Amino acid sequence: MVATTLSSSSTGIIKKNSFNDRFLYNVNRDSFNKISAYGIFDAEFKKSLFKEDSLYIIVGTDSGLLPKYIQEHGTPSGTRYLFIEPDTILTELYQHHLLDDTSSEIIFTSYDKWQEEAETLKIEQYSYLSAIHLINAICAQQNSSEDYDELSWEVSESLQSIHWKYSVRLSTELFIIRQIENITEAQIPAKLLENAFQGQTAIVLAGGPSLDNILPWIKKNRHCLTVFSVSRISKQLLAANITPDFICSVDPKKGSLDIAHEMFSFNEQPIFIHSFHAYPGLLNQWQGKSLYLGNRLPWKSPLNIANIQSTGPTVTNTAISTAYHFGFDTILLAGVDLCYSKEGITHLKGSAEQLAGPKYNTTSLQVETYNGEYRGTSEDYFFALQTIAYQAQSITKNNKKVINLGKSAAKAEGIIHIPPEEIKLTEPPKTSNAIAHEKIHASEQDFNQQDYYNEVVSELKKAKHQISEIGRLAK
């Protein structure tokens, strides 16, 4: 190797090998001693780096040699390349003109700005096409710098979050199907109970492992609490002899019936609060009263009357939002952990997830708990936590309180932690369940079911005709 020192910098000297490849020595070391950079790139990337209509996110530029190799090869139609470098190395590369003369399809950025650049390059559209490819340059593969090792890991984790976010948006087809399937059951809107329980305390029960320790306190103070429970914990509540006032479900998938069928074992006192897209098997088998959230139909229609909306991404988010709209001054949370326990457990005792054992897969997503520890969490939990924090900030602005009773739960802005034994409760003069049933009964007296069914049939016929016309015009 013929090495010529051109400059000295914080990343080391620039060298030139016998193939006239110029590179930062501390970035690429001896990678290009015996074989030229282009020869190595051909062997490593030629078959994987040139797909059409793709977005390549590449950690490291190999001192600018990899983007030059791509440019000489030719960028495929519809394809873009986003190179990410540590800040210090990116600065050095620009200073020594190692990133000059590249095409507009090749972009260079730092970690702090890569997601912003990716959005400019239409990363969402590439995600829908499953056409995003994460690649490590030779310098990142060989871990020539600790910066690359960390950068590669962080970009990979961020990209998983982005994929998850966009995949959620893609799942809207099933939600629309469920909305139409549930149309005949969407009779009484949840808005009927808006602000009906001012001055009272509600507790939202979710399936996190911390709920196990709080259930005895809930049972002891049941007469002072209005209980909202997610449908999946019905089995555990039955075992604890606790009957909720409201049972909530939003999941459109058939599996929700398998994990929540125990809700049918309650008496007719609980009221089923369901989003418009809840699984129909839960709704049409429910023996008690029900209230729907959201719109009846996925298009503009007179049937879409004013209502409380379903708030995602999880049923817990929906339960909190509903409790707020119902007017409760204090909303307690139990089992709303949104992180793994020390042992890697995600759900309370008796659940299928708990019986399946702990999660041993590692994750870089960490959240702080109210007891000052840091626990791992999943993408959907993390997204739900962000949404709950946003909800809590809006709720507390209106002089209401949101309190998490679990000290091992993930900390969220706007939500404080108070141990159950320190919560002061007063028994309301009339139970919320009695108030709700009275209002629902009165509403049912004014509701003509046959007229409603006729309106539904009319709306569906009109929509079928319009869709047929769209199909004809499209052809």
Side-chain angles (χ1 to χ4, degrees), residues 338-351:
L338 300 177
C339 62
Y340 307 155
S341 70
K342 276 185 178 180
E343 298 76 21
I345 301 299
T346 59
H347 290 75
L348 76 168
K349 291 178 182 177
S351 63

Side-chain angles (χ1 to χ4, degrees), residues 13 78-79 84 122 147 151 161 167 242 253 256 337-338 357 403 406 413 422 437:
I13 57 176
T79 295
I84 308 172
K122 310 297 183 185
D147 288 341
L151 181 61
S161 296
S167 68
I242 297 173
K253 298 177 184 176
S256 64
D337 296 359
L338 300 177
I403 301 168
E413 190 174 349
E422 296 181 16
H437 275 275

Side-chain angles (χ1 to χ4, degrees), residues 15 46 81 89 139 143 157 213 226 280 297 319 335 414 438 455:
K15 289 197 172 185
K46 190 173 184 178
Y81 298 87
I89 295 176
C139 58
N143 296 324
E157 288 294 317
N213 298 325
T226 298
L297 288 168
E438 286 176 7
E455 291 176 16

Side-chain angles (χ1 to χ4, degrees), residues 165-305:
K165 179 176 69 175
Y166 293 146
S167 68
V168 169
R169 295 181 186 177
L170 275 179
S171 62
T172 54
E173 179 183 354
L174 180 58
F175 288 73
I176 293 172
I177 291 171
R178 295 293 184 243
Q179 188 171 18
I180 295 173
E181 289 176 336
N182 288 333
I183 179 63
T184 57
E185 302 288 347
Q187 298 183 14
I188 308 298
K191 190 175 178 63
L192 177 71
L193 300 182
E194 191 166 44
N195 294 321
F197 309 107
Q198 295 183 42
Q200 296 190 34
T201 298
I203 185 166
V204 174
L205 310 184
S210 70
L211 180 61
D212 288 316
N213 298 325
I214 304 173
L215 281 176
W217 179 86
I218 296 171
K219 187 174 182 179
K220 179 181 177 181
N221 295 277
R222 179 67 183 85
H223 58 290
C224 298
L225 297 167
T226 298
V227 177
F228 289 75
S229 76
V230 301
S231 59
R232 67 178 302 126
I233 66 169
S234 297
K235 177 181 178 181
Q236 288 75 22
L237 294 185
L238 285 165
N241 197 25
I242 297 173
T243 300
D245 296 293
F246 301 100
I247 300 174
C248 304
S249 180
V250 302
D251 192 347
K253 298 177 184 176
K254 186 178 181 180
S256 64
L257 178 60
D258 297 327
I259 63 175
H261 68 273
E262 286 89 356
M263 65 184 279
F264 302 131
S265 297
F266 288 114
N267 57 34
E268 294 187 5
Q269 284 303 110
I271 296 167
F272 187 24
I273 296 179
H274 61 91
S275 66
F276 63 81
H277 48 70
Y279 182 66
L282 283 177
L283 183 55
N284 56 38
Q285 294 184 68
W286 178 245
Q287 72 275 21
K289 304 298 183 183
S290 64
L291 300 171
Y292 75 93
L293 297 164
N295 292 328
R296 287 168 167 163
L297 288 168
W299 56 79
K300 289 183 179 180
S301 165
L303 292 180
N304 290 338
I305 59 179

Side-chain angles (χ1 to χ4, degrees), residues 51-75:
K51 297 177 182 178
E52 291 187 352
D53 300 314
S54 297
L55 174 62
Y56 286 94
I57 297 174
I58 304 173
V59 177
T61 63
D62 284 324
S63 302
L65 293 172
L66 184 53
K68 286 184 172 59
Y69 165 78
I70 291 171
Q71 182 152 309
E72 288 191 12
H73 185 282
T75 55

